[in-house]
Amino acid sequence: MLGDHWDTLADIPLLQDRIDYIPTSTTLVRILEREGMTAKELANRFEQMQQDLDGSNPEDMRPDEYRVFTSGGSEQDEEFETYAEPVPESMKPYFSKIIRVARLREVRVVRGFTRINPPFDPDGADVAPISVTPLHWLPAIEVRGEGIFFCSLI
């Protein structure tokens, strides 16, 4: 939702200063209008997102990704766009939510490689490093796609 404005908002340490800043940004005003929020609500949501991020494990983002999909809300920004869809009556015994993912950006980072067999542990001994010396960067690719997320009742 906040995309390019995350760093700007993070650089403003006081909540009231964030609330005062938000109406001065045309992009953030558009977000307020689209989401039906006030500047104070957006600043509080940003505060909560920062706290959630502080408690997350960067080595395993899967729980955070799962939480976004299962929240049932709609998200729209340049890299990620989801829509909660109604669950058809015939599918209600099996699914509590259906989320249509119209846009998704995934970044795949290469940390090492194997010759033949895929590793069961990405940090295990079977994975060879991609460089003899430690690197300050890693090669990566972006994958873009779409799909459907079903929240199962079974």
Side-chain angles (χ1 to χ4, degrees):
M1 172 174 68
L2 294 172
D4 296 333
H5 296 282
W6 183 274
D7 290 336
T8 303
L9 291 173
D11 287 341
I12 303 171
L14 300 176
L15 179 64
Q16 186 58 49
D17 291 343
R18 279 191 201 124
I19 294 169
D20 294 341
Y21 170 77
I22 290 169
T24 68
S25 166
T26 55
T27 307
L28 290 174
V29 168
R30 283 196 297 267
I31 291 172
L32 293 177
E33 291 168 354
R34 184 184 72 216
E35 298 294 323
M37 301 174 86
T38 65
K40 183 176 182 178
E41 290 170 331
L42 181 60
N44 285 331
R45 186 165 180 190
F46 176 77
E47 192 86 16
Q48 183 61 50
M49 291 166 75
Q50 277 192 311
Q51 290 172 5
D52 291 347
L53 185 61
D54 289 343
S56 68
N57 176 2
E59 295 296 320
D60 187 5
M61 297 301 288
R62 290 174 292 188
D64 297 325
E65 292 169 350
Y66 182 77
R67 191 171 27 253
V68 169
F69 282 119
T70 57
S71 70
S74 295
E75 296 269 341
Q76 291 114 23
D77 72 28
E78 293 179 19
E79 307 291 352
F80 186 67
E81 186 175 346
T82 62
Y83 300 94
E85 298 292 338
V87 179
E89 285 298 322
S90 63
M91 298 177 84
K92 283 187 178 182
Y94 309 105
F95 302 107
S96 61
K97 296 176 188 163
I98 298 177
I99 306 296
R100 179 171 49 98
V101 183
R103 185 177 320 157
L104 176 70
R105 175 179 163 252
E106 173 189 358
V107 177
R108 297 180 186 174
V109 177
V110 180
R111 295 174 38 189
F113 65 93
T114 62
R115 288 287 179 210
I116 298 172
N117 297 325
F120 293 104
D121 176 8
D123 296 319
D126 295 344
V127 178
I130 60 172
S131 174
V132 176
T133 59
L135 299 175
H136 298 290
W137 61 275
L138 293 172
I141 60 169
E142 288 183 357
V143 179
R144 298 182 184 270
E146 67 278 332
I148 300 172
F149 181 85
F150 295 94
C151 203
S152 176
L153 291 173
I154 299 175

